[in-house]
Amino acid sequence: MAVTQPDAAALLGALLASQDDLLLVVQRGEITHASAAAGRLLGGAAAPGGDVASLFHESSREKLAAALAHGAPATWELQVCRAHGGQEAVTFLVVPAADGSRILLGRAFLRDEARRREASAIALTSELANLTRELATRGAELEAARAGLEELGRQREDFMSIVSHDLKSSLNAIRLQAALLQHAQREPTPAQRATIAGRLLRNVDRMTALISDILDAALADAGELRIAARRLSMEEVVAEVVDTIAPIAAEVGVQIRSAVAGAALVRGDGRRVYQVLVNLVENAIRHAPPGTDVLIELAAGDGCVRCAVEDAGPGIAPEERAAVFERFRRQGGRAGRAGLGLHIAQRIVALHGGSIWVEAGARGGARFVFELPSPGDADGSAEAAGGGGTGAR
């Protein structure tokens, strides 16, 4: 083969020196030129002067003959014989030259290269599988978040409806009592004035408590609800709650009873603990049938004080008990004002390091129980001497 052009000579030289490209120049079945890659893959048989057919597996020799006889450039897949045994498929571009020789140009991946590429493919496949699993996990999390946001939106809508209803009910009651005073034909007697004033105050208290619940829930959700803990007598808290709530319960035919067993000291915020117990007792009153009672039990245990509020109402199904403490929930009407009372109680108890739950009462009603830690010996005696009042009033 005559190579006279400088650029063609340079190209041929580069291909012959290549470690990747298989280059064979064949003249009438005899090898005239072979690249370094061809010598490394095919061994000494690829040296100039060798028979080109000896480099190929017998299954490909007929196709090789056709490729060498073909008069136009074309690609051919042929099985070459490796120098150290075995065979390998190589796709050759076979180009006829002007002097009648044939140029066979192909690329073979050697075994180490094949292993490297196989390992790389396995690694990429594994990474792709991991990414697929990660995407599936993130997709599930996003779907759960979307569903949670939808549920929260629904609960907020219910909450606004409940708040609006409760506020409107109290305002209508106040308006009604005011209209009775305004349009009275004669001066109300002292007893009538006391009755009307009591109704006005109760509805004002209801609105005040509802607004306080909303503010406390917002503080709790923002992590800004704070407690000022000190040694506190739970007996005094129970006595104060009974003194406050008993008259209200009596109006609906419900009696408040308490049973205190032994000294019951905790380390807590008197105003907040009072709030928890009031929420639970008011909740029990709403579900206690007329003529029954709400029982408050108090007992000191090992390192804690347990307080329970039990009613004789319809109770709460086991599968619904956890939900009564959720924000905006009024599970079976049990959640208190605007669905916040029990939620706030749970958050306050948690801030004290305690726990709260609901179970079945002995009389078939609901029994709400919370535990608060007892004060340690390291707590100052000066705090105990300072009294245990709640400061709720």
Side-chain angles (χ1 to χ4, degrees):
M1 171 182 170
V3 179
T4 57
Q5 296 297 329
D7 55 346
L11 175 61
L12 179 62
L15 290 173
L16 289 173
S18 173
Q19 298 296 319
D20 296 316
D21 296 301
L22 295 178
L23 176 65
L24 296 170
V25 181
V26 179
Q27 182 73 275
R28 289 187 295 277
E30 180 182 329
I31 301 170
T32 60
H33 298 80
S35 66
R40 191 171 71 254
L41 177 66
L42 306 175
D51 180 12
V52 69
S54 67
L55 303 180
F56 293 86
H57 189 266
E58 59 183 12
S59 62
S60 290
R61 288 175 184 172
E62 184 176 343
K63 188 184 291 187
L64 171 66
L68 295 176
H70 196 65
T75 57
W76 303 78
E77 184 174 323
L78 304 171
Q79 294 285 336
V80 300
C81 297
R82 300 176 61 91
H84 302 293
Q87 60 191 54
E88 184 169 339
V90 179
T91 299
F92 286 94
L93 172 63
V94 181
V95 181
D99 61 356
S101 63
R102 295 293 186 266
I103 302 171
L104 285 72
L105 181 62
R107 171 165 292 189
F109 298 116
L110 303 181
R111 288 180 179 177
D112 56 346
E113 176 69 10
R115 285 194 295 268
R116 186 186 68 78
R117 289 177 178 265
E118 182 181 5
S120 177
I122 292 173
L124 288 173
T125 302
S126 177
E127 184 176 353
L128 179 60
N130 290 336
L131 287 173
T132 301
R133 285 192 294 268
E134 181 71 14
L135 286 173
T137 300
R138 293 289 178 264
E141 291 175 351
L142 287 173
E143 177 61 23
R146 183 194 64 78
L149 287 174
E150 288 184 356
E151 175 63 14
L152 183 59
R154 186 192 64 76
Q155 291 177 8
R156 287 186 182 277
E157 291 177 1
D158 292 345
F159 165 72
M160 293 304 298
S161 175
I162 293 165
V163 169
S164 300
H165 176 269
D166 288 355
L167 287 175
K168 187 179 293 185
S169 296
S170 295
L171 287 172
N172 286 338
I174 291 172
R175 181 181 180 85
L176 176 61
Q177 299 305 313
L180 288 175
L181 288 174
Q182 182 180 16
H183 300 294
Q185 298 295 323
R186 64 186 69 174
E187 184 70 18
T189 65
Q192 291 173 328
R193 280 198 300 270
T195 299
I196 292 174
R199 291 170 180 166
L200 291 172
L201 289 173
R202 280 195 297 276
N203 281 283
V204 170
D205 287 344
R206 284 183 61 195
M207 290 191 294
T208 301
L210 178 57
I211 293 170
S212 295
D213 280 354
I214 295 171
L215 295 176
D216 285 343
L219 289 173
D221 292 340
E224 297 179 1
L225 191 63
R226 299 287 184 262
I227 61 170
R230 59 186 179 85
R231 289 173 70 92
L232 177 68
S233 169
M234 284 298 295
E235 295 175 76
E236 295 186 16
V237 175
V238 171
E240 193 166 354
V241 169
V242 171
D243 183 56
T244 303
I245 303 297
I248 299 173
E251 292 182 1
V252 293
V254 175
Q255 182 183 1
I256 305 294
R257 293 193 300 115
S258 63
V260 178
L265 292 177
V266 299
R267 182 167 179 79
D269 185 318
R271 184 172 68 89
R272 292 300 186 184
V273 175
Y274 173 89
Q275 183 180 3
V276 170
L277 190 53
V278 165
N279 280 349
L280 297 182
V281 173
E282 287 183 340
N283 180 73
I285 292 171
R286 280 193 293 273
H287 299 278
T292 64
D293 59 59
V294 169
L295 175 62
I296 305 174
E297 293 182 313
L298 190 64
D302 185 14
C304 69
V305 171
R306 174 176 293 189
C307 185
V309 178
E310 181 180 334
D311 62 63
I316 304 173
E319 65 274 13
E320 297 178 350
R321 290 172 187 167
V324 299
F325 295 105
E326 293 180 8
R327 182 178 49 177
F328 306 144
R329 287 295 183 94
R330 292 166 70 96
Q331 193 78 20
R334 280 276 179 180
R337 291 180 296 269
L340 294 174
L342 297 179
H343 173 70
I344 294 169
Q346 183 187 49
R347 299 298 288 268
I348 292 174
V349 170
L351 284 174
H352 283 79
S355 57
I356 185 171
W357 67 92
V358 60
E359 58 192 26
R363 296 173 292 173
R367 178 182 171 87
F368 283 84
V369 186
F370 68 94
E371 290 182 344
L372 298 178
S374 300
D377 294 337
D379 291 326
S381 58
E383 287 187 77
T390 67
R393 295 186 183 178

